[in-house]
Amino acid sequence: MTDLLAARSQMAVSLAFHIVFAAIGIGLPALMLVSEALWLRTGRDVYLRLTRAWSRGLAVLFAVGAVSGTVLSFELGLLWPRFMEVAGPLVGMPFSLEGLAFFTEAIFLGIYLYGWKRVSRGAHFAAGVVVALSGAASALFVLSVNGWMNSPTGFIPGDPGSAPVIDPVAAMTNPFWIANTVHMLIAAYTATAFGAAAVHAWRILKGADTALHHAGLRIALVVGAVMALLQPLSGDVTARLVAHEQPAKLAAMEAHFETGPCAPLRIGGWPDEATGTVRFDLEIPCGLSLLVGHSPDAVVTGLNDIPADERPPVLPVHIAFQVMVGIGTLLAAMGVWTGVRLVRRLPLHRPLWFLRLAVVAGPLAFVAIQAGWVVTEVGRQPWIIYGVMRTEDAVTPMPGLVVPFTAFTLLYVFLSWVVVVLMRRIARMEDAEDAEWSGGSGDSGAAGEAGA
């Protein structure tokens, strides 16, 4: 393994691990606020117990996310010093603001976790609001950096021996900033909601047919349905922005080789870069032109018009994009089904096939997030700063990078094991408390959901 491949692999593993906890850190506080608001409005204890159950899980996941996020920040400087030399003055401000948002989130999360009997109900709910907003703000500032890497703005390279002219505000407000942030926030809310729904659906299928799990399933599916139906709108805006700012990435996403109007939209398919063809795909005539330019005559740039050494690897980008869109379509369909069941006042834990599908949809939602980041990061290659600096030119000259790559991979495996052990213990504790409460109140099963 070359040092460049080891450095890229280490960043990929770190990001893939961290993004799961980052997404939950953004999405779970929103679910908790919905549940706590229902408790404050109705006074039903099931919503209080559900909120506290979710908050205990968040405490563990937030801690692990903080560790993996810290590792990522160090890796930027240690593995990519040339990148930080150029980008540091431009991305330092959003990184500093992200640190402020993170510390704010941590402080108010402490108040939220330990303030149940120490502050008023209104103050406790307000602390939860700050936690949710701080998590979203963290994403906002981090994604401004990623947006700048995809569309660098706010600097003019100086002459040899002179410093470049920089504008950190212009760099932070790059073309991708808001679009990417909205897309990621919706993805985080969607994945977390369907992940929570999967847990509660699984427990219902295993016989824990209690009001707590029915309430959790209902809240999670409703939030997930709304977000899953909003995501295609965000995706449309983002895709048109990619077409304008990064035509090579869009061409790789769609496995589009020939420049011209009436570009087809491909569903599935296996691209062959050597021949410039795609096998086993379903083509919708003029579909890509309609999506990108809202006209069948819109011209879409193909890979054949992009220099070979500036093309991203087509196969992984195209497959990842198809996976992301396919899972997103499934979640949106589940959202429609959820809406229909709600309108008809039918229980969400029936029929059983939908409950089983909800169990599968939870992990798939996080797979979609991973696939989306593959599209974003691999689709930018060979650039670490699009059009400015190649990835191979930014890597550290230090040899032996396979050693830290192996060490950090083992660290993430260990942390994953710790998370599984702790979450199982929390689940057993919650189930024991729920069984004791349900046995005393009789608030269980379908009757519990009717009240939820």
Side-chain angles (χ1 to χ4, degrees):
M1 178 181 286
T2 65
D3 287 331
L4 176 60
L5 180 58
R8 292 183 63 187
S9 299
Q10 184 174 336
M11 288 296 295
V13 171
S14 297
L15 179 60
F17 182 84
H18 176 68
I19 194 62
V20 173
F21 299 96
I24 295 174
I26 294 168
L28 194 51
L31 291 180
M32 289 157 47
L33 284 178
V34 173
S35 181
E36 186 172 0
L38 288 171
W39 171 58
L40 293 173
R41 185 172 68 87
T42 67
R44 294 192 64 217
D45 285 343
V46 64
Y47 294 123
L48 173 61
R49 293 185 295 113
L50 178 63
T51 306
R52 299 191 71 162
W54 281 342
S55 67
R56 289 168 181 169
L58 178 62
V60 174
L61 299 172
F62 180 85
V64 177
V67 172
S68 56
T70 302
V71 170
L72 269 171
S73 64
F74 278 106
E75 285 176 346
L76 276 176
L78 295 175
L79 296 178
W80 313 101
R82 175 59 180 158
F83 166 77
M84 291 305 296
E85 179 184 350
V86 173
L90 291 153
V91 303
M93 183 173 69
F95 273 145
S96 298
L97 293 172
E98 191 279 333
L100 176 62
F102 170 77
F103 284 121
T104 301
E105 183 180 8
I107 291 168
F108 281 88
L109 179 60
I111 296 173
Y112 193 87
L113 293 174
Y114 300 105
W116 286 102
K117 297 181 180 180
R118 295 175 174 84
V119 298
S120 68
R121 291 183 176 185
H124 188 270
F125 184 80
V129 172
V130 175
V131 171
L133 292 178
S134 298
S138 291
L140 180 72
F141 295 124
V142 168
L143 287 168
S144 76
V145 176
N146 184 264
W148 180 82
M149 294 169 68
N150 284 280
S151 182
T153 56
F155 78 106
I156 302 174
D159 296 328
S162 63
V165 178
I166 64 171
D167 184 347
V169 175
M172 189 170 73
T173 57
N174 58 80
F176 278 103
W177 182 31
I178 299 301
N180 279 1
T181 299
V182 172
H183 198 63
M184 182 61 218
L185 288 178
I186 295 176
Y189 295 136
T190 304
T192 304
F194 277 100
V199 172
H200 293 293
W202 174 259
R203 296 302 298 137
I204 293 172
L205 287 171
K206 288 299 180 179
D209 195 19
T210 64
L212 183 142
H213 291 298
H214 283 285
L217 178 69
R218 188 180 184 88
I219 292 172
L221 283 178
V222 170
V223 173
V226 173
M227 293 296 110
L229 292 172
L230 287 176
Q231 190 65 297
L233 301 177
S234 169
D236 176 65
V237 173
T238 304
R240 283 188 279 117
L241 184 59
V242 169
H244 182 265
E245 297 288 333
Q246 295 179 302
K249 178 185 286 187
L250 180 75
M253 289 162 54
E254 300 289 352
H256 181 63
F257 289 93
E258 297 295 334
T259 300
C262 197
L265 179 68
R266 291 185 172 87
I267 300 176
W270 193 266
D272 184 343
E273 293 186 61
T275 62
T277 58
V278 183
R279 295 176 292 170
F280 316 119
D281 63 315
L282 174 64
E283 289 190 2
I284 301 177
C286 301
L288 185 57
S289 290
L290 286 169
L291 287 176
V292 171
H294 293 171
S295 169
D297 297 325
V299 176
V300 180
T301 303
L303 288 164
N304 290 340
D305 280 352
I306 297 170
D309 64 343
E310 295 183 7
R311 299 177 191 170
V314 179
L315 181 61
V317 175
H318 178 69
I319 296 300
F321 180 69
Q322 296 294 314
V323 168
M324 179 185 68
V325 172
I327 294 174
T329 302
L330 170 65
L331 299 181
M334 292 181 65
V336 172
W337 175 269
T338 298
V340 170
R341 300 287 288 184
L342 289 173
V343 169
R344 294 183 177 180
R345 298 184 179 276
L346 297 173
L348 297 181
H349 66 290
R350 295 289 185 271
L352 286 180
W353 65 262
F354 182 73
L355 209 57
R356 296 188 182 101
L357 182 60
V359 172
V360 177
L364 286 179
F366 285 97
V367 171
I369 287 183
Q370 301 286 5
W373 276 102
V374 169
V375 173
T376 298
E377 299 304 297
V378 179
R380 189 179 61 246
Q381 300 307 313
W383 308 99
I384 189 170
I385 306 174
Y386 191 74
V388 176
M389 178 183 291
R390 291 178 178 267
T391 305
E392 61 186 2
D393 296 330
V395 71
T396 177
M398 184 183 74
L401 295 183
V402 68
V403 176
F405 165 58
T406 303
F408 278 104
T409 300
L410 292 176
L411 171 64
Y412 294 133
V413 171
F414 171 72
L415 287 175
S416 300
W417 174 78
V418 170
V419 169
V420 170
V421 170
L422 291 177
M423 295 304 289
R424 290 184 65 181
R425 288 183 179 179
I426 290 174
R428 285 196 295 267
M429 180 177 65
E430 294 295 341
D431 283 344
E433 293 180 359
D434 191 41
E436 180 180 354
W437 190 92
S438 298
S441 68
D443 187 14
S444 63
E449 182 179 336

